[in-house]
Amino acid sequence: MSKKIIVNKFGGGILKKELIPIIAKRLKEQLNKGYSPLVVVSAMPGVTDSLVSFLKKLKEKPLKRDGVTSLTVNYIIELKKIHSVIIADMEFNKEWRNEIHIELEKLFFELEKDLNTTLSDTKLEDKIISYGEKLSATILSFYFNLKGIDAQRLLAEEIPIITDDNFKNANIDWQTSEKNINQKLSNFKKVPIIAGFTGITNNGVTTTLGRGGTDTTACFVGSAIKAYKIILWKDVGGVLSTDPKIVSKAKIIKAISYQEAEESGKIIHEKAISYVKIFKTPIEISSISNPKLTTQIKEIKNIKKGTKIISSKKNLTLFLITDENIKTNEQLLIVSSVFAKYKVEMILVSNTRHSLQIVADNNNGLLDKVFEEIEGKISKIKSIKVNMIFLVGKFDINDVNKFNDLLIKLETKLQISAFLYENCTRLEAVVETNKIDEVIKVLYKKFIK
Ligand code: ASP
Ligand code: MG
């Protein structure tokens, strides 16, 4: 492909009846301007969640063989309905509809087979979860053709995007996969519609890249083929300076660096950004209905001092260990091994001479277990519900002091204050108050305006 390639990621959030025609329009605009679009898609809205919960249901109930079969049959009917409704809105004539249904039937047939064997072969779980993307890539390929775009579905397994066997959160083998995608696309004459979120091990077992992993596929593909840019299309475009529900005049940020995007946490999947950062592939986060609403993520040589984003992370837990005779190394070792055992991430660790503080998120629901087990080993431990407030931008010591002072003045019950480090791009503090929105309002006035 000699033309400039634009990688377009369409997530479940915009695969809606009223937006799908606009998606096709955006691709046509790119073709008309002489670019080569490439598409990476997620599952239709809610489909991955539905597959995940059905798997859970299958595993929870100890069922006889025919019990599994009938549950599965009913589930497939439900899944077919969801996709039929989407297709019904797409103005296909009878002939096309038949053709689509033949293609989808092949996938449903395979899915049914996989569901019936997954209880004896848990390695199939990732493949099952990946059907959402396989179905949507199939439907959208037909739809784009209907709209005059010469498109063709491309599954991750056909490229192949090779990963390790860390199921549910697999990591792409960059070197092999980079070669594979470039080779595959060199003979590909049509607009590729790649099923995101998926990979395959060297042994031919399908894997998934972690929830939200279509961003990862898009960023991998974009950097591997040295795309002109990657556009992550959204319902509402761009990255905002803060939550507009809290501060109504929150504004779209024109451009941020890879590091700032990484620090802000929410904008783009951590794994995804790791690829683009190396190859400096520019990313745009744009509104599908109004592409002018956009934020660029790119290399910025001289980041201007100041605050770009104010945000928070709510419902966190602070483990507080206090002991006159604390031996930080030893205690930290004990604590971190328990966290690792339950696969709970420590978001922030801080210590003083007589205390050790660890902030964690209970997103896998195992934090109580972590606490119990640590309590059995270290007696002076307490857990407190906390929230985190953070600023993203470029900061010096004055900003750090101003931030901490404000949090004290606002009586936030500051538990862990922000500190300065070299090329400081993130100030974060842990507070006990739950009046986070009010605090954000004040911070916005003082730091952004
Ligand atoms: N469909 C997958 C998920 O919901 C991947 C994605 O949406 O990016 O996690
Ligand atoms: Mg999704």
Side-chain angles (χ1 to χ4, degrees), residues 9 11-13 15 42-49 133 197 211-214:
K9 182 253 174 170
L15 299 177
S42 296
M44 293 296 175
V47 171
T48 310
D49 281 338
E133 272 68 16
F197 179 52
R211 294 305 305 268
T214 305

Side-chain angles (χ1 to χ4, degrees), residues 400-411:
V400 179
N401 293 336
K402 181 172 150 191
F403 181 57
N404 289 332
D405 289 347
L406 256 171
L407 293 176
I408 294 167
K409 225 163 81 195
L410 293 169
E411 295 178 15

Side-chain angles (χ1 to χ4, degrees), residues 341-364:
K341 178 175 160 190
Y342 290 99
K343 295 205 165 103
V344 178
E345 203 191 332
M346 301 199 265
I347 297 176
L348 186 71
V349 180
S350 141
N351 76 303
T352 64
R353 209 175 156 73
H354 299 301
S355 74
L356 177 60
Q357 291 123 304
I358 298 118
V359 180
D361 205 336
N362 193 18
N363 45 17
N364 71 356

Side-chain angles (χ1 to χ4, degrees), residues 263-281:
E263 298 287 18
S264 74
K266 292 176 186 166
I267 299 171
I268 167 172
H269 211 278
E270 196 181 323
K271 268 192 204 165
I273 205 135
S274 67
Y275 300 120
V276 287
K277 219 168 64 176
I278 301 170
F279 294 91
K280 304 192 169 44
T281 320

Side-chain angles (χ1 to χ4, degrees), residues 372-406:
E372 258 171 51
E373 193 159 328
I374 296 175
E375 206 182 16
K377 299 174 194 223
I378 298 170
S379 54
K380 290 176 182 163
I381 178 169
K382 179 159 102 161
S383 101
I384 309 172
K385 293 272 156 263
V386 289
N387 295 301
M388 191 182 248
I389 296 188
F390 57 90
L391 310 186
V392 177
K394 191 176 179 187
F395 307 103
D396 63 22
I397 190 66
N398 296 321
D399 301 311
V400 179
N401 293 336
K402 181 172 150 191
F403 181 57
N404 289 332
D405 289 347
L406 256 171

